[in-house]
Amino acid sequence: MHYLDNSATTKVLENSAKKAYEMMTCHFGNPSSVHKLGISALSELKSARISVADLFGTSADRIFFTSCGTESINTAIFGATNKLHKRGKHIISTKVEHSATLKALEKLEGNGFEVTYLTPNRQGIISLDDFKNALREDTIFASVMHVNNEVGTKFDVVAMSKALKAKIPHALFHVDAVQSFAKVPMSEVCSHADFISVSGHKIGAPKGIGALYIKKGVSITPYLYGGGQENGMRSGTESLPLICAFAEACKERKNNLDKNNKYVEGLYDYLVNTALETFENSSLNGENTIPYIANISFNGLKSEVMLRILQDCDVYVSAGSACSKGKKSYVLSAMNVPHNLIDSALRISLCPENTKEDIDAFINAVKIGHDRLLTLK
Ligand code: PLP
């Protein structure tokens, strides 16, 4: 199998899966229980929080576990705007955010908030000047992704947060770092953002676990009420197997960050150079991208058909984000990519466990599709 759809989700790392099993069968106590089993579960929870915080480059008390990236994003967006709504109703975001952000903002628009959605340029970049020009006296919140999930473009969230704070010191800034976590160092983002959302299943942990970083001194209304877990921010008995499996993945990714990034950069260069040299109808979408995501259009070859041909060759990529379920990419549309290149775009997303053989298999499968579809014309 040649799995190149790691931005949709990743295979669980072996140590991460083992840890989940160990937590389910040995340390299965409730961390709120006062007996020995509870105490050992609590101790596992504490060390897991430290490991996740380490990958952020922050302290453990700033990390709140959630069930996924979507929950983290919703907690930040609704928590921040609920806190600040009396000081203004204007929000800044972009047209290329994940639907977790866009749908939450849409809900706020229905409740009287006004959102300015910034448009990327043809290369997928959101301009800092556009961000600055969108700032208003009544801006209370901004939410911008660190890395785009379809194209891999990296946005200058640190500069945007600085610009927001310089004009409106009380406004809050959220970063969706679901696609950059464990790939791009996060400590500088932690020093400038008020909230950072991440998700376990994008970095080799199981599905069902995420985290929200909240800056020291920033308080928001919780999303879930109950037993007061997660320092009152997110009630509900902690999912120790998932939390500890996530922590295991964070440890492994942190220990190998530079090595992994260098390795994936090599794979990316090989992929992009080979694809562009081999197929004259191919073109790369986006600039300033991280090496984990390549969005390539194969003009004339419809992505849905190519996905099926690739699947027959045991090669798995996607045509856009997993959540878009085959709809036309709103990200590439916002970038003003021509329709024929949107219809023929494939997202190839890498992880450190991929090999050169996976890339070769992808190129060979595209050749098969290319020959089959173009000879039909
Ligand atoms: N934000 C981005 C950029 C994503 O790519 C995703 C998932 O694809 C999410 C948020 C949602 O994360 P989750 O699937 O953990 O809810």
Side-chain angles (χ1 to χ4, degrees):
M1 183 176 62
H2 303 284
Y3 184 74
L4 296 164
D5 198 15
N6 291 284
S7 287
T9 197
T10 54
K11 183 176 174 182
V12 176
L13 295 168
E14 201 172 319
N15 284 343
S16 183
K18 279 188 182 151
K19 188 69 189 178
Y21 183 75
E22 180 195 322
M23 294 308 298
M24 286 189 268
T25 53
C26 300
H27 306 286
F28 56 85
N30 185 326
S32 298
S33 296
V34 292
H35 51 62
K36 240 166 52 183
L37 264 183
I39 291 165
S40 89
L42 182 62
S43 144
E44 290 280 351
L45 176 60
K46 280 186 179 160
S47 55
R49 204 182 300 280
I50 292 171
S51 301
V52 176
D54 274 353
L55 185 51
F56 270 96
T58 189
S59 56
D61 63 331
R62 298 296 88 223
I63 302 302
F64 300 85
F65 290 115
T66 64
S67 65
C68 57
T70 300
E71 186 189 324
S72 302
I73 291 168
N74 275 260
T75 304
I77 291 178
F78 290 110
T81 52
N82 189 33
K83 182 184 156 88
L84 291 173
H85 71 279
K86 290 201 178 112
R87 303 186 76 162
K89 292 238 168 182
H90 181 240
I91 297 167
I92 301 173
S93 191
T94 81
K95 287 185 180 166
V96 296
E97 297 300 308
H98 187 268
S99 51
T101 299
L102 295 176
K103 292 286 173 190
L105 294 178
E106 202 180 285
K107 175 85 186 143
L108 288 175
E109 284 177 298
N111 291 340
F113 285 86
E114 195 188 330
V115 185
T116 301
Y117 296 96
L118 304 174
T119 307
N121 65 13
R122 178 70 176 79
Q123 286 70 43
I125 310 294
I126 299 286
S127 121
L128 178 60
D129 283 341
D130 285 354
F131 183 88
K132 286 181 178 166
N133 291 335
L135 290 168
R136 304 187 336 201
E137 296 297 319
D138 61 341
T139 306
I140 51 155
F141 181 66
S143 184
V144 178
M145 65 199 333
H146 197 193
V147 165
N148 180 266
N149 48 308
E150 281 192 40
V151 184
T153 36
K154 186 165 162 272
F155 300 148
D156 195 351
V157 288
V158 168
M160 289 180 196
S161 187
K162 281 183 185 165
L164 176 72
K165 304 283 175 175
K167 179 147 177 164
I168 310 128
H170 63 263
L172 296 171
F173 194 83
H174 168 247
V175 176
D176 170 358
V178 168
Q179 294 292 346
S180 60
F181 191 55
K183 295 158 190 157
V184 181
M186 207 54 66
S187 61
E188 202 196 356
V189 182
C190 282
S191 333
H192 294 279
D194 298 292
F195 311 96
I196 304 173
S197 294
V198 302
S199 178
H201 73 104
K202 311 288 186 181
I203 72 156
K207 293 157 192 65
I209 181 70
L212 177 64
Y213 159 89
I214 305 182
K215 195 186 205 141
K216 202 172 185 62
V218 173
S219 73
I220 54 168
T221 43
Y223 198 47
L224 292 178
Y225 291 88
Q229 290 89 344
E230 295 301 294
N231 216 3
M233 263 306 299
R234 203 251 185 198
S235 287
T237 302
E238 301 88 341
S239 175
L240 260 284
L242 297 178
I243 289 172
C244 295
F246 182 31
E248 218 46 44
C250 288
K251 269 195 261 177
E252 192 163 326
R253 292 308 189 209
K254 178 162 191 290
N255 290 340
N256 298 292
L257 192 65
D258 292 340
K259 189 179 90 188
N260 284 348
N261 282 351
K262 220 178 227 141
Y263 173 73
V264 172
E265 231 170 84
L267 285 183
Y268 174 92
D269 288 344
Y270 179 62
L271 162 69
V272 171
N273 293 337
T274 315
L276 298 188
E277 277 165 22
T278 312
F279 307 102
E280 58 181 27
N281 60 336
S282 67
S283 53
L284 184 68
N285 296 309
E287 281 178 12
N288 192 34
T289 60
I290 61 163
Y292 288 78
I293 301 177
N295 191 303
I296 304 176
S297 293
F298 296 89
N299 193 10
L301 310 180
K302 273 208 171 300
S303 344
E304 308 100 81
V305 185
M306 284 299 283
L307 286 189
R308 264 179 267 135
I309 295 173
L310 295 187
Q311 178 181 274
D312 290 344
C313 301
D314 217 13
V315 173
Y316 301 88
V317 299
S318 69
S321 80
C323 303
S324 63
K325 295 195 183 94
K327 279 188 236 139
K328 204 177 198 72
S329 162
Y330 64 82
V331 173
L332 295 177
S333 298
M335 286 164 61
N336 215 9
V337 172
H339 291 304
N340 55 323
L341 298 185
I342 298 180
D343 288 345
S344 59
L346 295 179
R347 177 186 71 176
I348 305 99
S349 50
L350 307 172
C351 74
E353 288 67 42
N354 282 131
T355 60
K356 190 171 161 288
E357 286 68 44
D358 293 326
I359 310 292
D360 290 335
F362 169 75
I363 297 290
N364 285 332
V366 174
K367 264 188 210 149
I368 292 170
H370 190 269
D371 293 348
R372 200 179 295 169
L373 296 179
L374 290 190
T375 45
L376 280 180
K377 287 196 169 177

